[in-house]
Amino acid sequence: PFSRWKRMALGTARRPCVGRVLPTPMRHGCPRLPDAGFATELGPGALRMEDDVVDESERRGRIAMADLVPELVARARAAQASVEHWTQEQVDEAVAAVGWAVYRQEHAEACARLACEETGMGVYEHKVLKHRKKTLGTLRDLRGAKSVGLVKEDRSRGLLKFAKPVGIVGALTPVTNASSTICCNGLSILKGRNAVIFAPHPRAKKK
C-alpha cells in the first residue's frame, strides 16, 4: 500500500481519498515511507491516493499520448539531423531569425492574451513585457557565444573542447510562465543544434 509514496515528488503534500491533506515525511532531503501512525490515525484504506481512481477519459488520453510520443521523437530526430552539421554562422542566423520573430509585439501580445485566458493567471500587460524582455535577454546572452566546433582551448594543459549537439531535448513549460519558457529554452536549444519536444502544462496547452 505504500508503493505510491515512493514515487511522489519531494516535499509535496498529497491528498488521500478521505479528504485529508498529509505532507510527505522528509528525512535528509528524501521522502520517507509513512509510518504506522498515518494508517492508524486515518483508518484502513486511508492511504489510497486520489490518482488511484482514473476516469475513462483520462485513461484514453494517456493511451493517445503514449501513441503520440514515438511520432514526436521521430519528427524531432529528422529535424535535428537537418541542422546537426550547420556552421556557426548558420546557427547564429537561425537563432536570430527565430528570436526576433518571437520578440515582435504582435506575437508577444497574442501569447500573453492566450496565456491569461487559458490559465486565468497573471496580468496581460506584465506577460507581454516579460515575454519580450526575456526573449531579448536570451538573444543578448547567446550573441557571439560559440556552439559549433572548437569552443575552448587550454594550451597549458593541452586540452581542446569541442561543442556537439546532444540530439533531442525534452522540456517542460510551467503554467505560470508558459510563453517565456518556450522562447528562452527554445533559442538556447537551437543554438546547440538540438531539437526540442515541449511538454506544456495541462492548463497551458493552447498557448
Side-chain angles (χ1 to χ4, degrees):
F2 296 151
S3 60
R4 283 191 176 274
W5 287 83
K6 298 178 183 178
R7 299 195 296 270
M8 297 306 167
L10 296 179
T12 56
R14 312 307 298 175
R15 295 170 295 181
C17 289
V18 294
R20 178 124 178 234
V21 177
L22 291 175
T24 301
M26 301 293 293
R27 176 180 292 169
H28 304 304
C30 298
R32 171 172 64 86
L33 293 183
D35 54 34
F38 284 103
T40 302
E41 182 181 1
L42 297 177
L47 292 177
R48 183 170 61 89
M49 309 307 292
E50 281 182 340
D51 55 356
D52 286 343
V53 183
V54 181
D55 59 31
E56 183 62 21
S57 62
E58 184 176 351
R59 187 185 70 83
R60 288 198 300 267
R62 292 180 179 178
I63 294 175
M65 181 57 66
D67 293 337
L68 180 61
V69 168
E71 178 187 348
L72 293 176
V73 171
R75 290 167 57 186
R77 289 193 187 281
Q80 194 274 327
S82 67
V83 303
E84 183 175 5
H85 300 292
W86 273 9
T87 64
Q88 187 69 69
E89 290 73 21
Q90 289 175 305
V91 171
D92 292 344
E93 184 178 355
V95 170
V98 173
W100 287 112
V102 171
Y103 180 77
R104 290 173 58 179
Q105 182 71 24
E106 59 268 32
H107 293 165
E109 291 176 354
C111 289
R113 185 177 300 108
L114 189 55
C116 287
E117 292 174 353
E118 185 179 7
T119 67
M121 303 174 68
V123 179
Y124 166 74
E125 292 79 9
H126 296 174
K127 286 190 176 292
V128 172
L129 182 61
K130 184 174 184 178
H131 179 105
R132 302 195 81 206
K133 289 179 71 68
K134 288 293 185 181
T135 302
L136 187 61
T138 303
L139 283 172
R140 178 200 61 205
D141 294 341
L142 295 178
R143 183 181 180 184
K146 294 182 179 180
S147 62
V148 178
L150 179 63
V151 296
K152 186 177 181 180
E153 181 177 3
D154 187 342
R155 293 182 179 275
S156 62
R157 301 170 63 189
L159 298 178
L160 301 176
K161 184 177 181 179
F162 292 86
K164 59 184 299 184
V166 297
I168 303 174
V169 178
L172 303 177
T173 59
V175 67
T176 54
N177 194 30
S179 66
S180 300
T181 299
I182 292 178
C183 301
C184 299
N185 288 358
L187 291 174
S188 300
I189 292 168
L190 178 59
K191 180 79 172 184
R193 295 171 292 162
N194 300 298
V196 59
I197 299 175
F198 283 106
H201 190 281
R203 286 180 56 190
K205 295 186 294 186
K206 296 178 182 178
K207 199 218 69 52

